[in-house]
Amino acid sequence: MTNEVILQVKDLKTYFTVDEGLVKAVDGVSFDLHKGETLGIVGESGSGKSVTNLSVINLIPTPPGKIAGGQVLFHGKDLLAMPQAEIRQIRGNKISMIFQDPMTSLNPFLKVSTQMIETIVLHQGLDKDAAKQKAIEMLKLAGIPAPEKRIDQYPHQFSGGMRQRVMIAMSLSCNPEILIADEPTSALDVTIQAQILEIMQELTKRLGTAVILITHSLGVVAGTCDTLCVMYAGRIVERGPTDVIFEDPKHPYTKGLIRSVPRLDVENSERLYSIQGQPPNVIDLPDCCPFYPRCEKAMDICKKKYPAIANFEQGRAVSCWLYSGAKDE
Amino acid sequence: MSKYIIRRALSLIPTMFIIVTLSFFLVRFAPGGPFSSEKKVTEQVLQNLLKKYHMDEPLGKQYLRYLGDVLRGDFGPSFRYRDSTVNQLIAQTLPNSMMLGTIALSMALFAGIGVGIVSALKQNRWQDYLAMSFAVVGISIPLFVIGPLLQLILGLKLRWLPISGWITSRDGWKTLILPALTLSFPYFAYIARLSRASILEVLRSDYVRTARAKGLSERVVIGKHVLKGGLLPVVSYLGPAFSGIITGSLVVESVFAIPGIGRVFVQSALNRDYTLIMGEVIMYSLILVTMNFIVDIVYGFLDPRISYK
Ligand SMILES: Nc1ncnc2c1ncn2[C@@H]1O[C@H](COP(=O)(O)OP(=O)(O)OP(=O)(O)O)[C@@H](O)[C@H]1O
Ligand SMILES: [Mg+2]
């Protein structure tokens, strides 16, 4: 990880128009990604993690979705303002994605070879034979045995874990600068999850690829991510280096999340902590801190206004009235 | 694969046997008989008629006799058209219906798939609304309205096409156009809706999102990743559609004066023309099961997830 920032997300807003009203799925998200960095995004289901990352490569289904504001600067160029033809040369090439469900993410009607080769031919300008060699090599790196045989099989002939390895191999086949992995292991058996994460980490380290890792699991984050963003109701509520946040979480939501992870190293017979209340409804959300109904430290102002960002040393940022100058109350 | 084909083909035999048996007994248990509408036949004449057609024998014996005949490909003499055998009647009419049906279904297929694709890609825009309203109209307006309407406009008013007749007439192949158009309409509408719905489903699928995330152009995404999965349901529909359309339509054949099998079929049912009804039911079933058989096999080639063992 160097200090060169390759991706800057600035005040990103993505809204969906549904029958019930306006869903502000992502409402003012900002973060930086450095070269070779692994950035984790955690948050409850529906907090806007996937939408954030689909917005980054401008793949929000429109309608019902719409990117309502913000910028995504990749090496200084705004991906959201780019013509389709130009961003297509970045997708799958400089920025690639892996999705949650490997069972449905590959086209069942096309051989793995076809699906891998088309990407390599498109972005690397290799001929088909060379592209196939490259694909086989990538499958091998991703830990698929006998790749020269398996490459000509169809996705349904692979197990879930193997398919995710194929996805990893495919997404890294053009040496991307950024890999966005949207819950790459949530759909897999626990025993396979660790293997997949490990192979992903190993390959991205080797290729120097920066990773945005979306996950529910703080356990995954602790082991893999340099930086952590905690999302709640479409916003990032806390951001900073992973170890610092784990050591000293500031936002009440982050505190709750960390307290609710089972720990083997702490000896106590206390019941596992869980955050009370329901995840918020993000339809027509008023301008308050969306976490206040569940917050143990909620104050009056939390119901009235969304907290401004409070910055701390080491690049930490927290959105909570406890830190944003409401101290006089 | 070839093993599967052989096994499937062999399984057609018991299916057809059951169909023959069922149609034999059902036809006989329907009220009325082939000679019940005959004007004043004397008892003696009736006896002779029954004897001629072996109807005086016990039912079991008749059944076995019929089974034997069918096995030899002989559907017997018609009860009504005294000078014709069922085989002759089918041979005179079925090819006409088949030709008309094939043309109509091909038109429905091309237009339906085309319209389905366009409206799926332009979902909720005017192209989609236009196409789908057209399709709803196509499904809900009966053929006996569409047919005469087309005759009126394209035939009588504009005088572009002959309003009726058959290819053997002076107008030749042009006589096919209006009836084929009419016949294809509901099939077109159904295929358009079917392909639109399934393409929309595929467009929302994860693997299409993957294809887009890879940076493929929209043309490749649609052509290579969407269409195959999106059009599979149309392939399965082709079996019943084809057997339905080639076995004729009473309405279209009546409106356009076409010597097809549809009219013969309805007539035979009204007349209780036992052998003719059975012959037609068996022909129809044979075409249906064969078409479904072919569709299954084609489907197996198209969808790699299906493995025939
Ligand atoms: N196509 C869509 N149409 C309407 N609303 C959508 C659409 N996609 C996402 N949303 C809404 O956006 C919000 C955020 O969804 P998102 O998928 O980003 O959540 P997530 O954090 O990835 O959750 P999960 O952990 O379950 O994947 C949700 O409230 C969801 O209902
Ligand atoms: Mg998600």
Side-chain angles (χ1 to χ4, degrees):
Chain A
M1 179 180 157
T2 63
N3 278 331
E4 189 194 340
V5 175
I6 52 176
L7 187 81
Q8 264 186 303
V9 176
K10 286 185 169 175
D11 201 27
L12 178 69
K13 293 180 178 171
T14 306
Y15 300 163
F16 290 91
T17 315
V18 295
D19 293 341
E20 293 79 25
L22 189 65
V23 177
K24 297 186 173 178
V26 173
D27 199 17
V29 161
S30 307
F31 61 84
D32 291 352
L33 182 70
H34 299 82
K35 194 161 188 242
E37 177 184 11
T38 299
L39 176 114
I41 300 184
V42 288
E44 286 168 314
S45 190
S47 55
K49 308 182 294 292
S50 300
V51 172
T52 301
N53 286 285
L54 282 175
S55 306
V56 164
I57 51 170
N58 208 348
L59 271 185
I60 293 294
T62 327
K66 184 172 181 293
I67 295 183
Q71 286 183 312
V72 176
L73 303 177
F74 178 60
H75 292 294
K77 287 194 84 176
D78 189 0
L79 297 181
L80 303 181
M82 238 175 224
Q84 280 295 320
E86 202 177 336
I87 194 171
R88 262 193 243 119
Q89 293 176 355
I90 292 175
R91 287 185 198 140
N93 185 23
K94 304 271 189 246
I95 304 178
S96 60
M97 272 191 109
I98 308 176
F99 300 100
Q100 175 169 358
D101 191 352
M103 304 310 272
T104 55
S105 296
L106 289 163
N107 189 329
F109 301 109
L110 299 175
K111 287 177 184 166
V112 165
S113 52
T114 314
Q115 302 187 50
M116 289 190 73
I117 290 169
E118 69 179 352
T119 323
I120 301 173
V121 168
L122 177 70
H123 294 303
Q124 309 245 291
L126 297 180
D127 65 39
K128 280 202 170 160
D129 289 336
K132 187 163 183 179
Q133 283 315 309
K134 171 89 192 178
I136 291 174
E137 191 189 310
M138 289 310 299
L139 288 177
K140 198 175 199 166
L141 287 177
I144 295 205
E148 49 307 301
K149 283 210 201 86
R150 304 225 55 184
I151 193 168
D152 283 318
Q153 295 184 331
Y154 288 95
H156 72 271
Q157 292 165 293
F158 290 75
S159 67
M162 283 295 162
R163 285 193 216 185
Q164 202 61 305
R165 285 171 194 262
V166 170
M167 282 300 289
I168 291 173
M170 188 159 86
S171 60
L172 294 177
S173 60
C174 298
N175 303 333
E177 289 178 50
I178 302 172
L179 173 69
I180 299 174
D182 190 348
E183 305 194 35
T185 58
S186 320
L188 301 174
D189 278 351
V190 188
T191 46
I192 300 169
Q193 288 183 354
Q195 294 172 14
I196 296 291
L197 279 175
E198 200 174 307
I199 205 98
M200 207 176 83
Q201 246 186 315
E202 191 191 311
L203 285 182
T204 49
K205 280 265 145 54
R206 184 190 306 200
L207 300 168
T209 310
V211 179
I212 300 179
L213 179 63
I214 301 175
T215 174
H216 280 131
S217 159
L218 279 178
V220 168
V221 173
T224 47
C225 300
D226 307 310
T227 319
L228 178 60
C229 293
V230 180
M231 277 194 82
Y232 192 82
R235 318 221 202 190
I236 290 177
V237 293
E238 180 154 8
R239 187 175 79 208
T242 310
D243 43 353
V244 182
I245 291 185
F246 269 79
E247 196 69 30
D248 173 29
K250 293 218 184 292
H251 196 287
Y253 177 62
T254 319
K255 284 185 186 166
L257 276 184
I258 291 176
R259 272 173 69 195
S260 57
V261 177
R263 291 179 62 166
L264 295 177
D265 55 333
V266 179
E267 254 186 88
N268 59 8
S269 52
E270 231 180 89
R271 278 190 58 201
L272 203 56
Y273 180 80
S274 73
I275 301 172
Q276 53 174 355
Q278 292 296 313
N281 181 0
V282 289
I283 298 178
D284 297 328
L285 205 64
D287 183 33
C288 60
C289 170
F291 187 61
Y292 88 83
R294 301 167 75 184
C295 183
E296 291 167 351
K297 305 233 168 80
M299 302 174 286
D300 269 352
I301 187 156
C302 304
K303 299 173 196 170
K304 292 175 191 144
K305 208 164 161 20
Y306 192 82
I309 292 172
N311 288 299
F312 293 83
E313 70 289 356
Q314 293 176 287
R316 291 188 69 180
V318 181
S319 288
C320 174
W321 282 118
L322 289 175
Y323 311 98
S324 338
K327 292 182 181 101
D328 45 330
E329 285 188 49
Chain B
M1 185 78 196
S2 56
K3 252 193 189 150
Y4 169 82
I5 296 179
I6 293 170
R7 237 193 19 237
R8 265 301 304 267
L10 287 179
S11 78
L12 297 185
I13 296 174
T15 311
M16 285 312 297
F17 172 76
I18 292 171
I19 289 166
V20 171
T21 308
L22 266 180
S23 58
F24 180 88
F25 287 103
L26 283 178
V27 160
R28 273 169 220 245
F29 289 137
F35 311 117
S36 52
S37 66
E38 214 93 359
K39 273 179 282 167
K40 291 187 210 112
V41 273
T42 62
E43 190 56 22
Q44 187 53 44
V45 174
L46 188 61
Q47 284 311 317
N48 287 344
L49 276 173
L50 288 176
K51 196 172 180 70
K52 177 175 171 223
Y53 293 107
H54 305 288
M55 298 249 311
D56 52 344
E57 292 172 359
L59 207 54
K61 199 169 168 195
Q62 287 183 44
Y63 169 64
L64 289 180
R65 179 193 302 281
Y66 186 68
L67 215 54
D69 287 347
V70 168
L71 273 182
R72 271 179 274 112
D74 177 7
F75 291 129
S78 161
F79 281 16
R80 249 316 154 97
Y81 307 91
R82 293 282 148 71
D83 303 326
S84 309
T85 64
V86 171
N87 290 38
Q88 283 169 340
L89 284 169
I90 292 179
Q92 282 161 14
T93 52
L94 186 61
N96 296 343
S97 292
M98 273 185 145
M99 178 163 70
L100 186 65
T102 309
I103 295 171
L105 191 61
S106 314
M107 293 185 346
L109 207 56
F110 278 107
I113 288 178
V115 166
I117 293 174
V118 170
S119 45
L121 296 183
K122 303 276 178 193
Q123 193 198 4
N124 294 336
R125 282 187 251 163
W126 66 265
Q127 297 94 327
D128 182 29
Y129 290 130
L130 182 74
M132 285 307 114
S133 348
F134 198 57
V136 169
V137 169
I139 286 178
S140 42
I141 297 190
L143 293 183
F144 61 78
V145 176
I146 297 180
L149 213 63
L150 288 178
Q151 283 175 323
L152 190 70
I153 299 169
L154 298 177
L156 292 178
K157 278 260 160 21
L158 298 171
R159 298 193 173 278
W160 287 351
L161 294 164
I163 55 167
S164 70
W166 190 234
I167 26 180
T168 43
S169 74
R170 181 168 48 84
D171 290 314
W173 61 269
K174 279 188 179 171
T175 52
L176 286 174
I177 298 176
L178 281 186
L181 215 55
T182 310
L183 192 56
S184 74
F185 218 70
Y187 290 89
F188 150 78
Y190 189 80
I191 291 172
R193 283 158 52 119
L194 188 66
S195 45
R196 173 184 182 269
S198 73
I199 288 172
L200 278 179
E201 195 177 317
V202 175
L203 279 174
R204 279 192 291 265
S205 71
D206 286 353
Y207 66 83
V208 169
R209 184 182 58 190
T210 307
R212 293 204 169 111
K214 291 200 294 191
L216 301 177
S217 70
E218 203 57 9
R219 227 186 50 223
V220 177
V221 171
I222 304 296
K224 196 166 168 186
H225 288 267
V226 173
L227 285 190
K228 197 166 179 192
L231 295 180
L232 271 184
V234 177
V235 174
S236 349
Y237 172 62
L238 279 188
F242 194 70
S243 33
I245 205 168
I246 64 177
T247 39
S249 148
L250 169 74
V251 174
V252 172
E253 287 168 13
S254 310
V255 170
F256 294 98
I258 290 165
I261 201 170
R263 281 205 281 178
V264 178
F265 199 177
V266 174
Q267 279 303 317
S268 67
L270 294 177
N271 291 339
R272 303 283 187 279
D273 193 338
Y274 286 172
T275 45
L276 189 49
I277 299 174
M278 288 188 293
E280 282 161 345
V281 168
I282 291 166
M283 273 314 289
Y284 177 79
S285 312
L286 192 63
I287 293 173
L288 181 66
V289 292
T290 314
M291 284 319 296
N292 280 338
F293 172 54
I294 293 173
V295 163
D296 269 5
I297 291 177
V298 171
Y299 205 99
F301 276 110
L302 294 179
D303 190 344
R305 285 169 299 185
I306 295 175
S307 67
Y308 293 133
K309 296 220 186 66

